[in-house]
Amino acid sequence: MFNMIITGKCSKNCSFCFTEEEARKESKYDEMSLDYIKGIVERYEYKKRGHVLKLLGGEPTEHSHFTDIIEYAAREGVPVYLISNFLFGQKIQECILDNLGIFTSFLVNGAELAEKNRLKLFAKNFNKIAYEFGKQKPGNKKHFTLAQTIPDTNYEIINFTEYLKHLKRELDFSNLGNIRIGLGLSGTYLLNNKKVGEKVAEILRFNRANRLGTQFDCQFPPCIFTDEQFEEFETPSFSLWNSVTANPDAKTFPGGICHMPAFDLMPDETLLYCYQTQAAISPKLPEIEQTMGQEELSGTFIGKLGAGLDHVVSQRLRADYLIEREKHATPDACKQCHLFPQYCGSLCLGCHM
């Protein structure tokens, strides 16, 4: 289902953030209203189809009615996945703890916490919520994830091993399940960039030493890693190759076609294939819905399987994505690579934009 971008605002202002500055600082978007969120939940049959309400921003907890949204989800029994910087006050913490049973997962942005004394507040929220979430039922720990992004600038001077050790001294990692690694997907600088690959390897080594799981964000071109790194991290329980390809059965990497889009629903009803591609693909959700009658839905393959409107919307966006992706030339570095095109489909559209 959609990522619900309930507000564009975020006071953290991470240096690597791809959210537009005018959205974060100048309120480019109005907040997504509770009534609108209710409408999406009902129209897309969240309860019937087992959808999770994915709350993002900006910073979702900066929404002026965040607690009302959580309490609504709790009343309706709609599960929530929260992506947050965890830099909120006591009221938000108490709301989350009071309704902890509806949360399926937490993805917590743990980057750039050394600035502005952020770590003290972050640790207060992280340690309390992670502990209670982990205590709630066995297996919850694996659904609590700390996000680390390798930015597209100054990444060479960052020592992720030391930074994560610093966080570990302040945070109770016993209730942390994973560290999710992301890249600054802002250009072709990623191609054959072994320096970026080594920064990823730093985090992988830390995770292995601390018995933490590893998650990867959407695109990791295999050309950033050396053959030695693929061998270093290959174990019976973890494969770097399968992790970056998102394919456990074969050495294929469909990178350029973006196999795991985010489908961000913005407060103004714009629906994005992913945030990075909005300059090319940004239809309004009502416009897509109006072009599809129930008859069309029931006549499709997925309609016959009993799938919902969300699948048809997703198919429409994916078709637009593939058309737009074809307009951008494959870099020469990819054409000359032994992994292309059988094992790697080059960079995604977001990197070209």
Side-chain angles (χ1 to χ4, degrees):
M1 268 311 294
F2 314 131
N3 290 335
M4 303 290 282
I5 313 299
I6 62 175
T7 178
K9 294 185 295 184
C10 180
S11 57
K12 190 174 181 182
N13 297 322
C14 295
S15 63
F16 56 81
C17 185
F18 52 72
T19 302
E20 303 159 284
E21 187 171 356
E22 61 180 318
R24 288 184 278 113
K25 293 183 177 181
E26 300 172 19
S27 300
K28 174 182 178 180
Y29 299 105
D30 292 330
E31 294 181 335
M32 190 177 285
S33 71
L34 177 56
D35 285 341
Y36 184 78
I37 294 170
K38 290 179 179 179
I40 292 291
V41 168
E42 293 168 4
R43 191 158 74 253
Y44 286 83
E45 302 177 304
Y46 271 59
K47 293 177 71 174
K48 176 181 177 181
R49 302 190 181 279
H51 294 321
V52 175
L53 185 59
K54 300 177 183 177
L55 300 181
L56 290 80
E59 168 50 40
T61 64
E62 291 187 23
H63 190 292
S64 59
H65 295 285
F66 176 78
T67 57
D68 295 328
I69 295 170
I70 298 303
E71 289 166 0
Y72 158 74
R75 288 194 304 272
E76 295 297 316
V78 176
V80 173
Y81 176 20
L82 180 63
I83 299 179
S84 170
N85 61 30
F86 263 42
L87 298 175
F88 42 73
Q90 189 69 24
K91 180 181 178 181
I92 299 295
Q93 186 201 91
E94 290 176 355
C95 175
I96 292 172
L97 291 172
D98 288 344
N99 298 284
L100 202 54
I102 66 166
F103 287 89
T104 63
S105 306
F106 291 90
L107 178 59
V108 184
N109 178 11
E112 298 186 3
L113 292 172
E115 302 176 13
K116 302 177 183 178
N117 199 29
R118 290 169 170 163
L119 186 52
K120 182 177 180 181
L121 176 59
F122 183 91
K124 176 182 176 183
N125 290 320
F126 179 98
N127 290 335
K128 181 65 174 177
I129 295 172
Y131 172 75
E132 294 295 340
F133 187 64
K135 186 176 72 171
Q136 193 179 75
K137 60 182 179 182
N140 262 10
K141 188 172 91 167
K142 66 181 180 181
H143 298 294
F144 205 100
T145 301
L146 183 70
Q148 285 295 303
T149 299
I150 298 171
D152 55 359
T153 59
N154 298 323
Y155 55 85
E156 297 176 41
I157 64 174
I158 301 174
N159 187 320
F160 283 97
T161 302
E162 291 305 313
Y163 179 70
L164 290 169
K165 286 181 179 179
H166 172 59
L167 292 188
K168 187 181 178 184
R169 288 191 290 268
E170 302 293 331
L171 306 177
D172 181 5
F173 273 22
S174 65
N175 294 300
L176 177 65
N178 316 279
I179 290 182
R180 182 179 181 180
I181 310 172
L183 302 180
L185 302 176
S186 60
T188 58
Y189 80 100
L190 289 172
L191 295 176
N192 294 310
N193 194 327
K194 299 298 190 287
K195 293 179 180 178
V196 170
E198 181 53 38
K199 292 302 174 182
V200 176
E202 282 185 33
I203 301 175
L204 288 172
R205 293 180 188 115
F206 177 88
N207 290 354
R208 184 170 59 187
N210 291 275
R211 298 183 178 181
L212 292 169
T214 298
Q215 295 179 359
F216 285 86
D217 206 345
C218 47
Q219 179 160 79
F220 280 71
C223 61
I224 68 175
F225 300 109
T226 64
D227 291 341
E228 291 75 17
Q229 286 166 343
F230 279 111
E231 293 176 5
E232 176 185 358
F233 297 108
E234 188 71 28
T235 70
S237 60
F238 179 82
S239 169
L240 176 58
W241 181 273
N242 290 339
S243 294
V244 299
T245 62
N247 187 337
D249 301 315
K251 289 187 174 181
T252 56
F253 182 68
I257 64 170
C258 190
H259 56 296
M260 297 177 66
F263 296 127
D264 295 323
L265 182 58
M266 307 301 290
D268 64 354
E269 297 190 291
T270 297
L271 184 62
L272 309 177
Y273 192 83
C274 82
Y275 202 98
Q276 301 282 77
T277 64
Q278 61 183 297
I281 308 170
S282 53
K284 297 284 188 178
L285 180 59
E287 295 170 359
I288 300 177
E289 293 175 336
Q290 289 167 10
T291 65
M292 297 181 302
Q294 188 63 35
E295 182 177 345
E296 177 189 352
L297 173 61
S298 62
T300 64
F301 173 70
I302 56 175
K304 291 175 182 177
L305 292 177
L309 183 62
D310 55 301
H311 292 280
V312 178
V313 171
S314 300
Q315 280 195 333
R316 288 287 182 89
L317 281 179
R318 185 166 183 76
D320 290 344
Y321 176 91
L322 294 174
I323 291 171
E324 188 65 31
R325 178 64 183 81
E326 287 299 312
K327 298 177 183 178
H328 296 264
T330 300
D332 289 339
C334 294
K335 293 178 181 178
Q336 297 163 10
C337 178
H338 67 286
L339 297 172
F340 180 84
Q342 183 177 3
Y343 299 131
C344 178
S346 184
L347 297 176
C348 68
L349 179 59
C351 290
H352 288 281
M353 304 197 67

